[in-house]
């Protein structure tokens, strides 16, 4: 049967999608989903239209039209369509007066719209120019052959369609005949290679200096918008499903207005919280929108309402931006935190039924996206043995979460900045959501210092290409944005020091093991874990050097192995009954595996995620021996931490012991945080041993905090969990900084300490810089004022670190030279420490969920499979890849594909019967083998 219609792709139970209809739809979606400047004659909007209308121009070839109808049997590369479409768009943009940057960005965007972005210079020079203008029979040079096939006399249908598409995208001069001649005489290739090379002698040579300025930035914008427009069009996703719902600022105002302070000191804090929350939004509108500053700094002490102030400021800016630009829907709020493991508490603010009660599966809130980075797809149109992309493999079910089409997105620095630095195809789907977005960077000092040069450069991309507004908020502002002339940063609060003077809650002690570090004529002896455990127990039962007893204490370690060992030594030193709250929680959790605690499963189904956490936490508290003071009607009415609990048994309470790190599942971390929040207020002996996972985004308050030596900003973050709301009086919190030894090699000295493992690799003298800064800025090592540490020592430390030039120039070069492939190999996470995601099932109900996920993938029901994956996101734990390969050899993938297969969901499924691992809520979470020594030693959260 002869071909009489040019199609884009076939559709099930409907007519085939005509090529011109798909192209026009993609163009319309690009312009609807984005906001492109249209002030110039050949504007961004004009170029975006060309990209949309020509991205699948290569489908007009006879080979592709046969292939899409399953009639083709020739070389696969003749059916590829991306390169020919890229050449057509490049040529048209140049013909209608576009500049070199837009023309080359259009070429790259289309060339790789089914894959990840390339390193532009070798891609253009070698992959395209070298193959298309070299030997005539080079199988890698298919675009020229495709043009020749359309020009054959018996292919008039294809030539006519090519004419229509080129004229529609350009004007009456951009005809098929002229484009075909430009390909045949190689002039289009010469114009292309000129932008990535310089002529030396008789031939061009690769030259990154020839690239148009800020090519990387413009390419991201066009490519991201095309990727989302093309995929949603191919999947027939209506634009209505891409609309955002905004959370109302008035709801938060009402909630905050109902908060009351207990006691004079708490009321004083509330006064300054209200003052900050009123001033910051007003200043942000004036300084960021009116005056045009690039970055707003929100600097507040921990516990002074930074989160609510930041959200209020962001929502105010969002509403103002929408009004000023006349937007049909309000732009996205992107709230980015350092780690997945600390998202839980911020998430609860948005899901709290007393505030917004937002559903993460809806259009108002996306929790991005525990599982998205483990879903892998390949670019099929690469090399000569690939397969033509027919747009029939679009994963519509996974697309919406990845594209951030929600009013508010709660995410991580990794998801945000790695999406901007060498993104995968699926990561590029979120770029349209960044248009006019308000982006909060919470605790930016946690960004790896090797990225400190690249982060401002990527923020500049957000500003110049996406018109995003950026807020950075922390108690310890780093000099991250102070060393670039490209960005202007302003404080959103006046007289920041005033807030710190009124929020002095702790006094510091610098242990001898730290004070002597790097000092002349002084020997540094790390503190052994046994002595540390004894000191903690002495503090809890006897107040240490304070008058308080029955004290709650937090100990923050640098590695999981150290936290496990310190938990053991605290238990050994107690000399009294010890109850690990994790063990009791495990009992409750398993009992709740088939039916809800005290209820049947049907009755439990109406509870929100926050309420289920409260339900489990209340059951644990009762099992431990606590009762609520007064009437409590259960989690549907108030949180378990909103009421007082008292010890109800005749015997003295035991030492309650908890452990907290990233090897616990998200659902368990939320319950453990809730339990800790209650127990710190019960006047019972309670010790929580944690990694730094507790330091940001976790609103807990202890009477005493011990912190293994770390960068000074991390120490201040840990101190923010001490006497947070003056529960023990003004400046009555006590924070001790010590240097712990290696839990597995106590005689190993400084070079074997967890601190050295985690923080000593950036530069050899890092630990000495920390200790020297303390000695230089503090008058004494005992009873140190909090203001001196936060507002004197920390800025001095950041300045000394900056002088060491830890930031990577290599990352900056990759951006400027548009080397996305090289950037994609870099990571904010330790690049020599790859991890694997595991879904850990404990209860029968969770095991059934894993089975249902596998069954759905097995029968090809991917929409259900991805929906179930999202339900299972609370079961996710990341472990070292070497542990997964060496110990969890019997664990299967959740999608039931073979381990090692490139495509699919790269997540393992763990059940208690799976050999090679264990999940212990009283033993530090998931352990991938019996010892886990090396993994724990290097695992910092």
């Amino acid at each position: 049967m002869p071909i009489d219609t040019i199609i884009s792709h076939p559709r099930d139970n409907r007519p085939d999608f005509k090529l011109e209809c798909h192209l026009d739809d993609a163009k319309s979606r690009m312009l609807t989903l984005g906001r492109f400047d249209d002030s110039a004659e050949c504007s961004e909007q004009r170029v975006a239209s060309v990209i949309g209308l020509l991205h699948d121009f290569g489908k007009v070839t006879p080979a592709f039209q046969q292939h899409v109808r399953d009639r083709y049997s020739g070389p696969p590369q003749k059916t590829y369509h991306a390169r020919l479409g890229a050449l057509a768009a490049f040529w048209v943009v140049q013909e209608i007066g576009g500049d070199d940057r837009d023309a080359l960005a259009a070429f790259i965007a289309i060339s790789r719209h089914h894959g990840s972005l390339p390193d532009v210079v070798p891609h253009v020079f070698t992959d395209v120019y070298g193959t298309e203008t070299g030997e005539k029979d080079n199988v890698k040079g298919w675009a020229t052959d495709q043009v020749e096939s359309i020009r054959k006399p018996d292919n008039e249908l294809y030539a006519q369609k090519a004419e229509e598409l080129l004229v529609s995208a350009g004007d009456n001069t951009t005809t098929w005949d002229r484009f075909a001649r430009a390909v045949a005489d190689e002039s289009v290739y010469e114009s292309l290679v000129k932008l990535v090379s310089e002529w030396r002698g008789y031939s061009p040579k690769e030259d990154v200096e020839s690239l148009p300025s800020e090519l990387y930035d413009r390419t991201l914008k066009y490519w991201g918008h095309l990727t989302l427009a093309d995929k949603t069009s191919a999947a027939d996703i209506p634009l209505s499903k891409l609309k955002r719902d905004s959370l109302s600022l008035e709801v938060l105002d009402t909630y905050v207005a109902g908060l009351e302070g207990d006691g004079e000191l708490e009321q004083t804090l509330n006064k300054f919280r209200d003052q900050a929350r009123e001033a910051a939004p007003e200043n942000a509108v004036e300084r960021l929108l009116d005056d045009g500053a690039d970055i707003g700094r929100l600097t507040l002490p921990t516990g002074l309402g930074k989160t609510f102030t930041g959200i209020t400021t962001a929502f105010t800016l969002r509403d103002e931006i929408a009004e000023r630009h006349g937007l049909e829907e309000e732009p996205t709020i992107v709230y980015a935190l350092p780690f997945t493991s600390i998202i839980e508490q911020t998430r609860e603010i948005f899901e709290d039924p007393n505030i917004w009660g937002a559903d993460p599966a809806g259009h108002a809130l996306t929790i991005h996206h525990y599982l998205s980075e483990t879903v892998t797809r390949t670019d099929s149109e690469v090399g000569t043995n690939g397969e033509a992309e027919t747009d029939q493999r679009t994963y519509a079910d996974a697309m919406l979460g990845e594209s951030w089409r929600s009013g508010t997105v709660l995410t991580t620095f990794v998801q945000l900045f790695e999406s901007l630095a060498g993104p995968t195809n699926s990561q590029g789907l979120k770029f349209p959501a960044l248009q006019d977005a308000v982006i909060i960077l919470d605790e930016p000092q946690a960004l790896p210092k090797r990225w400190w040069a690249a982060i401002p450069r990527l923020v500049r991309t957000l500003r110049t290409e996406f018109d995003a507004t950026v807020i950075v908020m922390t108690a310890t502002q780093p000099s991250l944005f102070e060393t670039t002339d490209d960005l202007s940063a302003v404080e959103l609060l006046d007289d920041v020091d005033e807030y710190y003077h009124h929020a002095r809650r702790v006094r510091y002690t610098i242990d001898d093991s730290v004070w002597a570090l790097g000092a002349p004529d002084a020997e540094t002896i790390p503190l052994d874990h046994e002595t540390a455990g004894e000191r903690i127990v002495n503090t809890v039962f006897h107040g240490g050097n304070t008058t308080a007893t029955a004290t709650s204490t937090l100990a923050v370690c640098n590695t999981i192995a150290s936290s496990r060992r310190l938990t053991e030594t605290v238990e050994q030193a107690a000399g009294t009954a010890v109850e690990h709250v994790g063990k009791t929680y495990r009992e409750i959790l398993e009992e709740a595996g088939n039916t809800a605690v005290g209820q049947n499963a049907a009755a439990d189904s109406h509870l929100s995620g926050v309420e289920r956490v409260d339900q489990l936490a209340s059951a644990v508290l009762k099992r431990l021996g606590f009762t609520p003071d007064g009437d409590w009607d259960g989690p549907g009415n108030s949180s378990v931490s909103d009421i007082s609990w008292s010890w109800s048994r005749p015997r003295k309470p035991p030492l309650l012991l908890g452990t907290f790190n990233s090897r616990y599942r998200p659902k368990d971390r939320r319950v453990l945080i809730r339990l800790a929040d209650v127990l710190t207020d019960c006047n019972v002996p309670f010790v929580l041993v944690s990694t730094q996972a507790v330091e940001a985004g976790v609103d807990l308050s202890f009477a005493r905090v011990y912190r293994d030596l770390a960068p000074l900003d991390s120490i201040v973050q840990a101190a923010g969990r001490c006497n947070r709301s003056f529960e023990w009086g003004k400046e009555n919190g006590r924070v001790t900084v010590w240097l712990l030894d290696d839990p597995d090699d106590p005689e190993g000295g400084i070079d074997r300490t967890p601190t050295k493992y985690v923080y000593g690799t950036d530069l050899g003298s890092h630990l000495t810089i920390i200790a020297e800064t303390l000695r230089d800025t503090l008058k004494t090592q005992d009873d140190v004022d909090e203001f001196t540490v936060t507002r004197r020592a920390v800025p001095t430390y950041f300045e000394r670190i900056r002088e060491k030039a830890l930031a990577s120039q290599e990352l900056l070069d990759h951006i400027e030279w548009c080397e996305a492939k090289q950037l994609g190999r870099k990571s904010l996470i330790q690049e020599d420490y790859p991890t694997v995601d595991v879904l850990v099932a404990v209860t029968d109900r969770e095991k059934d969920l894993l089975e249902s996920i596998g069954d759905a993938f097995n029968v090809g029901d991917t929409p259900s499979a991805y929906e179930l994956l999202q339900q299972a996101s609370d079961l996710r734990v990341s472990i070292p890849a070497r542990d997964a390969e060496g110990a969890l050899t019997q664990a299967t993938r959740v999608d039931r594909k073979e381990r090692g297969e490139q495509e699919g969901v790269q997540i393992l499924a763990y059940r208690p019967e799976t050999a090679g691992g264990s999940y212990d809520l009283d033993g530090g979470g998931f352990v991938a083998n019996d010892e886990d020594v090396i993994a724990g030693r290097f695992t910092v959260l």
Side-chain angles (χ1 to χ4, degrees):
M1 179 182 296
I3 294 174
D4 57 9
T5 304
I6 305 299
I7 68 171
S8 170
H9 54 274
R11 296 187 290 187
D12 294 335
N13 304 316
R14 284 180 297 167
D16 296 338
F17 205 177
K18 291 183 178 180
L19 178 57
E20 63 269 25
C21 295
H22 170 59
L23 295 176
D24 191 65
D25 186 44
K27 180 206 79 170
S28 177
R29 287 170 183 260
M30 282 188 72
L31 301 183
T32 299
L33 295 170
R35 188 166 65 83
F36 298 93
D37 179 74
D38 63 351
S39 58
E41 183 174 346
C42 186
S43 63
E44 286 180 27
Q45 187 177 97
R46 183 82 165 90
V47 174
S49 296
V50 172
I51 292 171
L53 290 171
L54 292 178
H55 75 280
D56 278 352
F57 176 79
K59 290 183 178 181
V60 82
T61 62
F64 181 88
Q65 290 301 310
Q66 292 171 22
H67 170 76
V68 82
R69 293 172 170 86
D70 294 325
R71 302 182 196 173
Y72 181 76
S73 59
Q77 62 269 24
K78 297 296 180 66
T79 66
Y80 295 174
H81 68 270
R83 181 181 297 179
L84 185 57
L87 288 168
F90 173 79
W91 180 78
V92 167
V93 171
Q94 286 205 321
E95 288 293 311
I96 63 176
D99 62 28
D100 289 342
R101 181 175 70 153
D102 277 333
L104 188 51
F107 175 86
I108 302 163
I110 296 177
S111 177
R112 300 310 293 270
H113 73 279
H114 289 300
S116 301
L117 291 172
D119 296 340
V120 167
V121 171
H123 175 62
V124 171
F125 192 90
T126 303
D127 299 343
V128 179
Y129 178 78
T131 60
E132 298 289 352
T133 64
E135 298 178 3
K136 188 67 176 175
D137 296 328
N138 189 337
V139 295
K140 296 182 180 180
W142 53 81
T144 301
D145 292 342
Q146 290 172 328
V147 170
E148 290 178 359
S149 72
I150 298 174
R151 298 180 80 183
K152 290 181 179 179
D154 55 347
N155 286 331
E156 184 178 347
L157 170 69
Y158 306 97
Q160 181 180 349
K161 182 59 63 177
E163 172 84 5
E164 292 174 8
L165 297 178
L166 287 168
V167 171
S168 173
D171 54 34
N172 290 332
T173 70
T174 57
T175 63
W176 161 246
D177 185 60
R178 289 188 62 229
F179 173 65
R181 287 203 308 269
V183 173
D185 65 19
E186 300 182 353
S187 60
V188 68
Y189 299 117
E190 298 296 341
S191 297
L192 184 63
V193 80
K194 183 176 67 173
L195 303 182
V196 301
S197 64
E198 66 173 358
W199 281 86
R200 298 174 188 169
Y202 297 99
S203 61
K205 304 295 181 184
E206 291 186 16
D207 180 30
V208 294
E209 300 297 335
S210 297
L211 288 170
S213 176
E214 298 184 349
L215 173 66
Y216 184 78
D217 312 61
R218 184 57 52 86
T219 300
L220 287 185
K221 183 171 186 176
Y222 287 149
W223 175 75
H225 282 78
L226 171 61
T227 300
L228 182 61
D230 181 42
K231 282 179 165 47
T232 56
S233 174
D236 282 329
I237 296 177
L239 284 171
S240 60
K241 285 197 173 183
L242 302 178
K243 288 188 176 296
R244 298 180 283 256
D245 292 334
S246 296
L247 300 175
S248 169
L249 177 57
E250 287 72 19
V251 171
L252 180 60
D253 289 338
T254 301
Y255 175 79
V256 172
L259 298 178
E260 297 180 357
D262 297 328
E264 183 178 346
L265 291 175
E266 174 74 7
Q267 290 171 5
T268 299
L269 285 182
N270 280 346
K271 170 188 172 184
F272 283 95
R273 289 167 180 152
D274 292 341
Q275 178 177 306
R277 192 168 169 269
E278 180 179 345
E282 181 179 324
N283 290 336
V285 170
E286 177 185 343
R287 297 169 189 180
L288 298 179
L289 301 187
D290 294 341
D291 298 340
D294 296 298
I295 297 167
R297 290 193 301 255
L298 181 57
T299 309
L300 277 172
T302 54
L304 216 63
K306 175 168 57 69
T307 301
F308 280 165
T309 298
I311 293 172
T312 301
T313 302
F315 281 23
T316 301
L317 288 168
R318 175 201 66 189
D319 297 345
E320 186 70 19
I321 290 168
E323 182 177 345
R324 293 188 182 197
H325 290 296
L327 304 179
E328 292 185 6
E329 59 182 13
E330 293 170 326
T332 302
I333 301 289
V334 179
Y335 195 126
L337 287 153
F339 314 110
T340 299
S341 57
I342 62 173
I343 280 181
E344 280 79 36
Q345 186 150 332
T346 306
R347 171 182 184 168
E348 287 193 6
I349 292 173
F350 294 102
E351 294 182 353
D352 188 339
N354 295 314
I355 309 179
W356 291 290
D359 178 6
H363 289 258
L365 177 66
T366 290
I367 310 297
H368 191 247
H369 180 284
Y370 286 111
L371 304 179
S372 63
E373 63 264 51
T374 55
V375 179
T376 303
R377 306 171 184 84
T378 59
D379 181 9
S380 59
E381 292 197 358
V382 173
T384 58
N385 296 314
E387 180 183 353
E389 177 58 67
T390 63
D391 289 318
Q392 293 171 273
R393 304 189 308 153
T394 304
Y395 295 78
D397 36 277
M399 192 185 306
L400 295 181
E402 294 171 355
S403 61
W404 288 6
R405 304 306 300 179
S406 298
T408 299
V409 176
L410 187 60
T411 189
T412 61
F413 291 161
V414 169
Q415 279 290 342
L416 175 62
F417 287 112
E418 289 192 8
S419 293
L420 292 166
T424 64
N425 192 264
S426 61
Q427 287 174 322
L429 294 172
K430 62 176 64 72
F431 289 166
L434 298 177
Q435 183 65 50
D436 298 309
V438 181
I439 299 173
I440 299 173
L441 303 180
D442 196 353
E443 311 297 352
Q445 75 281 353
L447 286 159
K449 293 175 178 58
R450 67 185 182 280
W451 279 74
W452 276 24
I455 295 299
R457 178 63 182 80
L458 295 173
V459 168
R460 192 179 87 194
T461 302
L462 290 170
R463 291 285 297 144
T464 58
E465 292 299 326
F466 299 97
D467 292 315
T469 303
V470 179
I471 300 170
V472 294
M473 60 184 201
T474 178
T476 54
Q477 287 286 357
S479 54
L480 183 58
F481 300 102
E482 303 301 320
T483 58
T484 174
D485 296 330
D486 298 327
L487 297 170
S488 57
V490 294
E491 287 288 351
L492 299 184
L493 292 174
D494 300 319
D495 196 6
V496 171
D497 282 352
E498 179 186 16
Y499 292 92
Y500 285 84
H501 276 300
H502 287 279
R504 288 180 291 181
R505 291 160 291 198
V506 307
R507 310 286 293 186
Y508 285 85
T509 296
I510 312 302
D511 187 73
D512 290 341
S513 58
V514 173
W515 196 256
L517 183 61
D521 304 323
E523 181 182 6
T524 302
I525 302 175
L527 187 69
D528 61 90
H529 284 69
E530 289 75 14
T531 301
E534 292 170 358
R535 290 189 188 178
I536 290 171
V537 170
N538 182 52
T539 294
V540 170
F541 287 106
H542 308 294
N545 56 4
T546 71
T547 58
T549 58
T551 312
S552 60
T553 297
L554 169 67
V556 182
C557 301
N558 282 326
T559 65
I560 289 176
S562 178
S563 69
R564 287 175 179 154
R565 180 62 185 143
L566 189 57
T567 301
E568 293 171 358
T569 62
V570 168
E571 189 168 2
Q572 293 165 1
T576 185
V578 177
E579 186 78 35
H580 200 296
V581 296
K583 180 180 179 181
T584 304
Y585 170 50
R586 176 68 178 249
E587 296 171 358
I588 296 296
L589 185 63
E590 291 180 341
E591 292 172 9
N594 295 315
T595 59
V597 181
Q599 303 180 42
N600 60 43
D604 179 49
S605 62
H606 74 283
L607 295 177
S608 69
V610 174
E611 291 166 342
R612 282 192 291 271
V613 168
D614 282 319
Q615 185 183 57
L616 288 167
S618 65
V620 174
L621 289 167
K622 292 173 182 176
R623 180 73 56 87
L624 286 171
F626 294 88
T627 57
D629 297 338
D631 296 330
W632 185 57
D633 296 329
N637 298 303
S638 62
S639 170
V640 69
S641 58
D642 288 339
I643 60 171
S644 298
W645 293 74
S646 298
W647 179 251
S648 61
R649 295 179 180 172
R651 61 179 174 85
K652 288 185 177 181
L655 171 62
L656 297 169
L657 184 59
T659 310
F660 187 82
N661 60 54
S662 64
R663 292 286 186 90
Y664 290 106
R665 306 178 305 175
K667 67 178 296 181
D668 302 327
R669 288 199 297 265
R670 289 202 293 275
V671 174
L672 292 172
I673 289 171
R674 190 74 93 248
L675 290 170
D677 194 16
V678 172
L679 294 175
T680 56
D681 195 39
C682 285
N683 198 35
V684 295
F686 173 52
V687 176
L688 181 67
V689 181
S690 176
T691 60
Q692 66 220 54
V694 79
E695 286 181 349
V698 178
D699 291 339
L700 296 176
S701 186
F702 295 80
R704 290 294 304 264
V705 169
Y706 292 88
R707 180 59 166 100
D708 198 4
L709 182 62
L712 294 189
D713 53 290
S714 294
I715 291 171
V716 170
Q717 286 296 324
R721 314 311 123 191
C722 185
N723 197 26
R724 194 174 179 86
S725 294
F726 294 139
E727 296 92 341
W728 291 273
K730 191 169 185 178
E731 294 192 272
N732 275 351
R734 293 293 181 268
V735 177
T736 298
V737 183
W738 55 24
L739 177 66
L740 293 176
D741 68 3
D742 184 345
D744 303 304
D745 185 9
E747 303 300 323
I750 297 174
D751 289 339
R752 298 281 294 177
T753 61
T755 298
K756 179 70 173 181
Y757 277 128
V758 177
Y759 301 112
T761 55
D762 286 337
L763 70 165
S765 58
H766 192 181
L767 305 189
T768 302
I769 290 174
I770 297 170
E772 285 181 346
T773 300
L774 290 172
R775 287 194 297 270
D776 292 346
T777 55
L778 310 183
K779 295 179 180 179
T780 177
Q781 69 183 95
D782 298 309
D783 199 33
V784 179
D785 175 68
E786 180 179 7
F787 184 88
T788 303
V789 173
T790 306
R791 301 298 288 168
R792 300 290 181 266
V794 170
T796 301
Y797 162 74
F798 279 139
E799 179 60 25
R800 292 179 178 182
I801 288 295
R802 187 185 65 79
E803 291 171 356
K804 287 290 182 179
L806 295 181
S808 171
Q809 180 62 37
E810 180 187 24
L811 293 171
L812 268 182
D813 290 341
H814 287 326
I815 296 171
E816 299 303 338
W817 298 342
C818 208
E819 295 176 335
K821 185 176 180 180
Q822 298 296 322
L823 275 173
R825 293 171 177 167
K826 306 298 180 183
S827 175
L828 269 73
I829 305 170
Q830 285 178 271
E831 292 156 23
D832 58 351
Y833 188 72
T835 60
V836 171
D837 289 328
V838 183
L839 294 183
V840 179
V842 174
T843 69
D844 290 341
R845 191 183 297 178
E846 292 164 354
K847 296 176 194 175
D848 290 343
L849 177 57
L850 295 193
E851 286 299 310
S852 297
I853 293 170
D855 290 343
F857 277 116
N858 210 35
V859 299
D861 185 4
T862 53
S864 296
Y866 282 110
E867 182 178 345
L868 292 169
L869 267 177
Q870 287 308 299
Q871 294 178 27
S873 63
D874 263 353
L875 310 182
R876 173 187 180 269
V877 175
S878 294
I879 66 169
R882 61 183 169 215
D883 281 3
E885 294 164 2
L888 291 180
T889 57
Q890 302 302 310
T892 59
R893 277 174 41 166
V894 293
D895 62 1
R896 297 185 183 166
K897 292 182 183 290
E898 291 294 324
R899 288 176 61 168
E901 189 170 336
Q902 188 174 8
E903 282 206 351
V905 181
Q906 313 290 331
I907 306 170
L908 299 180
Y910 171 85
R911 302 164 181 85
E913 62 270 19
T914 305
S918 63
Y919 186 67
D920 301 311
L921 284 161
D922 58 345
F926 190 82
V927 181
N929 55 57
D930 290 338
E931 297 296 333
D932 203 28
V933 171
I934 299 298
R937 179 177 294 167
F938 286 96
T939 304
V940 300
L941 289 177

